[in-house]
Amino acid sequence: MRAAIEKIEAGGRAPKGFLPFGLDLLDQHLPNGGLALGALHEVAGGGNGAIDGTASALFAAGIAARTRGQVLWCVSRKDLFAPALAQAGLDADRVIYVEAHDEKTVLACFEEGLRHGGLGAVVGEVARLSMTSSRRLQLAAESTGTMGIAVRRWRRQAEAADFGQPTAATTRWRVTALPSSPLPAAGVGRPRWFVELIRCKAGECADFELEACDEAGRLALPADLADRSPATQPWQRRAAG
């Protein structure tokens, strides 16, 4: 029954496969235990500041790092820091950068990259994403099996409010930076994020406190939270279709 529903939601096309996070706490909330390949996914920062915007980009980089093949990353602002992406598992020699003049061109390159079919993932940084544009991206991803990740970045509050509007993305995520994990000695521990799965087709919404992507693109459950009882685990609720 679930497979039939997923096929209908995908416009009659069967899923191209799934990419697990490798973290049971997260994967159990996703249909088939991972992110759908050949689909569009959305990631945004929890606020409109630079820190949360960076966290959302690194979250996307960790996902892209675990795909196979080259990754096309489309931007309209020249502020992407390649060494930071490498720390999240996405090596510089795997990334093809497209610097566009405006978001309209970013969306065009995003769609063309998805339709190419020879890439592991395509990432596009945009402030606004309409239902029409997101549907085009979703259909392009479905046609080739390439994963698309829309990183929502905005400069003003009005653009941040646009994230509440519906899109055709299969999953929507929001990532907020938290104080880093404590160390037994002086120093800076592994960064932590508050990760919210705010929409998931045929799946569940939930939120998690996690340690940021490592050099393999993998998230981790903080040691001081790993032994929590089920009653104190992150809340969950059924996703809206």
Side-chain angles (χ1 to χ4, degrees):
M1 177 67 74
R2 172 171 286 186
I5 292 172
E6 289 171 353
K7 189 173 181 179
I8 292 171
E9 288 185 333
R13 296 181 175 86
K16 303 292 185 178
F18 299 87
L19 180 71
F21 281 93
L23 190 61
D24 289 343
L25 182 66
L26 209 80
D27 289 334
Q28 68 185 359
H29 293 282
L30 299 169
N32 297 284
L35 293 173
L37 301 174
L40 176 67
H41 304 275
E42 264 186 276
V43 184
N48 58 356
I51 294 177
D52 289 337
T54 299
S56 66
L58 294 178
F59 180 81
I63 295 172
R66 292 181 289 105
T67 64
R68 295 182 179 180
Q70 298 292 108
V71 174
L72 183 69
W73 199 299
C74 310
V75 299
S76 60
R77 289 186 280 182
K78 300 178 181 180
D79 60 356
L80 197 60
F81 189 53
L85 300 185
Q87 289 182 350
L90 188 56
D91 293 334
D93 59 359
R94 287 189 58 199
V95 185
I96 302 170
Y97 300 99
V98 173
E99 295 181 351
H101 294 294
D102 51 41
E103 291 198 354
K104 182 179 180 179
T105 307
V106 167
L107 288 169
C109 295
F110 195 170
E111 182 178 344
E112 186 66 24
L114 290 172
R115 293 194 183 280
H116 179 268
L119 299 166
V122 181
V123 182
E125 296 187 9
V126 292
R128 297 184 181 276
L129 185 64
S130 67
M131 176 60 79
T132 299
S133 295
S134 65
R135 185 59 181 158
R136 289 181 64 91
L137 294 171
Q138 173 67 21
L139 290 172
E142 289 175 1
S143 69
T144 60
T146 302
M147 177 182 286
I149 307 173
V151 178
R152 304 291 299 275
R153 296 186 62 190
W154 35 75
R155 298 179 177 87
R156 52 188 68 88
Q157 191 60 39
E159 294 175 339
D162 183 71
F163 186 63
Q165 300 300 313
T167 70
T170 300
T171 63
R172 304 183 84 183
W173 302 82
R174 188 161 50 201
V175 184
T176 306
L178 297 175
S180 61
S181 295
L183 294 176
V188 179
R190 184 170 173 177
R192 286 192 185 190
W193 295 334
F194 182 62
V195 177
E196 300 170 84
L197 175 57
I198 60 178
R199 183 175 187 272
C200 179
K201 289 182 180 179
E204 297 179 330
C205 293
D207 58 38
F208 317 88
E209 185 173 333
L210 302 171
E211 290 187 335
C213 298
D214 61 13
E215 64 279 359
R218 297 195 176 277
L219 301 163
L221 186 65
D224 56 340
L225 301 181
D227 297 326
R228 280 186 178 183
S229 67
T232 59
Q233 291 291 345
W235 62 269
Q236 58 179 314
R237 56 187 173 86
R238 190 69 186 170

